[in-house]
Amino acid sequence: MTATAVLTARALLLDMDGTLVNSDASVERVWRRWAERHGLDGDEVMKVVHGRQGYASMALLLPDRPMEQNHADNARMLAEETSDTEGVVEIPGARAFLASLHGLPHALVTSADVALSTARMAAAGLERPEVRVTAESVGASKPDPEGFLKGAAELGVAPADCVVFEDSGAGIAAGRAAGMRVVGIGPRAGFHDPDVVVRDLTQVRVERGEDGTILLHITDAGHTG
């Protein structure tokens, strides 16, 4: 079923990969090489890695490996991903969407670290939001809600007044756990019960309400719940 929805918020919390930036080509290359090194099935690995910090994905995929090895391996993976931006582009509508948020409370909440998020946003030609919650900012990876709760706190907005934009199961679960409504972006999102789901950001129009609220006009929105 498709419909037009209007969501009201006081702040928006934006994931990066799969939401603002299409980095799937880079993610596939790096993680499939990692899977091969560890004798794992690449297709199965790709079902796990989206939305999480690398060490958290590794802990799921190699449950018997000490966590300190996962953190060390993750640092190498982040460096590899940061240097591999070939094919990294904006999600359709992302540049105009970010421009429409100027002067409105919003934050980037990403499982990438500062270097990787900077590289990918630049490769996609996107301006980074002033408020950013990156891997260095949190002690727990999505699906833990810590990142989204920190973003809301930095913006001074109650979690219930925030809307999250996410593409992955881990990210959508994190937004839900934070007590926030979630707009799902892209084909992965629809499997994880966001409040509404859109193909890309061309379907979202932002309007500033008279009382400072943010009105999200979402065209052809698929409702999952």
Side-chain angles (χ1 to χ4, degrees):
M1 185 179 88
T2 59
T4 299
V6 180
L7 298 180
T8 302
R10 293 207 170 266
L12 306 183
L13 302 177
L14 315 173
D15 175 51
M16 182 183 70
D17 293 302
T19 299
L20 299 173
V21 171
N22 183 345
S23 57
D24 281 0
S26 173
V27 172
E28 287 263 349
R29 286 192 295 269
V30 171
W31 277 99
R32 285 186 182 276
R33 286 196 296 267
W34 182 88
E36 186 175 357
R37 289 197 296 270
H38 293 279
L40 299 174
D41 181 271
D43 291 339
E44 294 305 311
V45 167
M46 294 313 302
K47 293 176 183 178
V48 171
V49 301
H50 292 290
R52 292 180 173 85
Q53 291 192 42
Y55 74 84
S57 296
M58 293 170 191
L60 291 172
L61 293 161
L62 298 173
D64 297 326
R65 190 166 77 158
M67 187 57 78
E68 58 266 26
Q69 290 188 28
N70 293 335
H71 282 286
D73 210 359
N74 184 48
R76 291 189 290 270
M77 290 282 285
L78 284 169
E80 194 175 344
E81 288 183 290
T82 300
S83 65
D84 183 354
T85 57
E86 183 180 351
V88 173
V89 295
E90 70 164 319
I91 293 292
R95 188 175 292 108
F97 175 71
L98 287 170
S100 72
L101 297 182
H102 284 174
L104 295 172
H106 67 287
L108 185 72
V109 181
T110 175
S111 295
D113 64 3
V114 170
L116 180 56
S117 60
T118 301
R120 284 185 174 163
M121 291 289 279
L126 299 178
E127 182 180 350
R128 291 183 300 156
E130 289 185 14
V131 177
R132 299 182 288 272
V133 179
T134 61
E136 296 92 339
S137 309
V138 298
S141 171
K142 300 172 185 175
D144 191 282
E146 181 185 0
F148 287 125
L149 292 172
K150 282 201 168 185
E154 287 198 35
L155 295 170
V157 176
D161 292 327
C162 295
V163 169
V164 165
F165 283 71
E166 264 286 2
D167 73 301
S168 71
I172 291 167
R176 288 259 191 229
M180 301 171 182
R181 291 155 294 155
V182 182
V183 175
I185 307 294
R188 283 191 292 266
F191 294 103
H192 303 287
D193 296 323
D195 291 274
V196 296
V197 63
V198 295
R199 178 184 63 255
D200 55 45
L201 290 166
T202 63
Q203 292 175 248
V204 182
R205 180 173 64 84
V206 177
E207 180 185 1
R208 184 193 304 263
E210 291 184 4
D211 59 352
T213 58
I214 302 169
L215 302 177
L216 298 170
H217 298 268
I218 302 173
T219 59
D220 296 324
H223 293 259
T224 62

